[in-house]
Amino acid sequence: MRVTAIVNGQTRHADDVWEGESLLYLLRERLGLPGSKNACEQGECGSCTVYLDGVPVCACLVAAGQAAGRDIVTVEGLTPGDDLHPVQQAFLRTSAIQCGFCTPGLIVAVHDLLSRIPHPTDPQIREALAGNLCRCTGYEAILAAVRLAAREMNGEAE
Ligand code: FES
Ligand code: FES
């Protein structure tokens, strides 16, 4: 089947999509958007998090066909061009990235959190990121990145 969707603001088509194919496969293998990562393919790790009609979802759990006609934003689409979003800059500045496999999903999840709660408490950050697993960092640097991104986005950074 042919799937047409708005992906990062552009109308994109993919042909010969298999009915059991995931949105994650569609994005990575057919549309050339490898930012969303495939770590578990079971909805357990959050590495594949993207926005679907403005709501963060695990792209590995969404059938590609379900995305037809909908609005998808991946980590590549959070800012225009090659610019980095303040959340991405904060992850770099706090060294919250090691292997980087969890990072794209975390970036989307933090982007969503800060759009809903501009000044999150640590418990709110932990709750919002509970579905995003990281095997490398121990999470402290990730918490620091979220706090820094919140300060930057609220114009409070020194
Ligand atoms: S790859 Fe989708 S949740 Fe792990
Ligand atoms: S940086 Fe390696 S899984 Fe998070």
Side-chain angles (χ1 to χ4, degrees):
M1 66 179 157
R2 168 173 258 217
V3 172
T4 300
I6 308 296
V7 181
N8 296 334
Q10 295 188 324
T11 301
R12 301 289 305 269
H13 308 283
D15 289 316
D16 302 322
V17 175
W18 174 56
E19 287 168 8
E21 198 167 301
S22 71
L23 173 58
L24 181 60
Y25 186 93
L26 178 88
L27 293 169
R28 288 179 55 85
E29 308 300 333
R30 296 189 185 275
L31 300 183
L33 293 167
S36 314
K37 296 291 179 275
N38 181 357
C40 73
E41 227 171 357
Q42 296 181 9
E44 300 287 345
C45 74
S47 305
C48 61
T49 305
V50 300
Y51 283 112
L52 180 64
D53 289 342
V55 177
V57 297
C58 290
C60 70
L61 293 184
V62 176
Q66 288 180 286
R70 300 176 73 180
D71 188 61
I72 299 154
V73 177
T74 71
V75 69
E76 292 97 334
L78 295 181
T79 57
D82 292 333
D83 291 345
L84 291 183
H85 189 276
V87 174
Q88 292 168 306
Q89 293 173 1
F91 269 67
L92 286 174
R93 286 175 55 194
T94 57
S95 301
I97 303 167
Q98 290 187 26
C99 80
F101 225 79
C102 66
T103 309
L106 276 163
I107 297 289
V108 175
V110 173
H111 184 277
D112 173 65
L113 168 66
L114 296 180
S115 70
R116 292 182 290 108
I117 308 175
H119 298 92
T121 62
D122 280 4
Q124 287 173 319
I125 297 171
R126 290 180 189 280
E127 183 179 354
L129 303 186
N132 293 80
L133 304 185
C134 175
R135 296 182 180 188
C136 306
T137 64
Y139 296 99
E140 282 307 317
I142 292 170
L143 280 169
V146 180
R147 294 186 203 111
L148 175 60
R151 290 200 301 275
E152 293 277 359
M153 293 170 69
N154 289 308
E156 299 165 359
E158 315 82 56

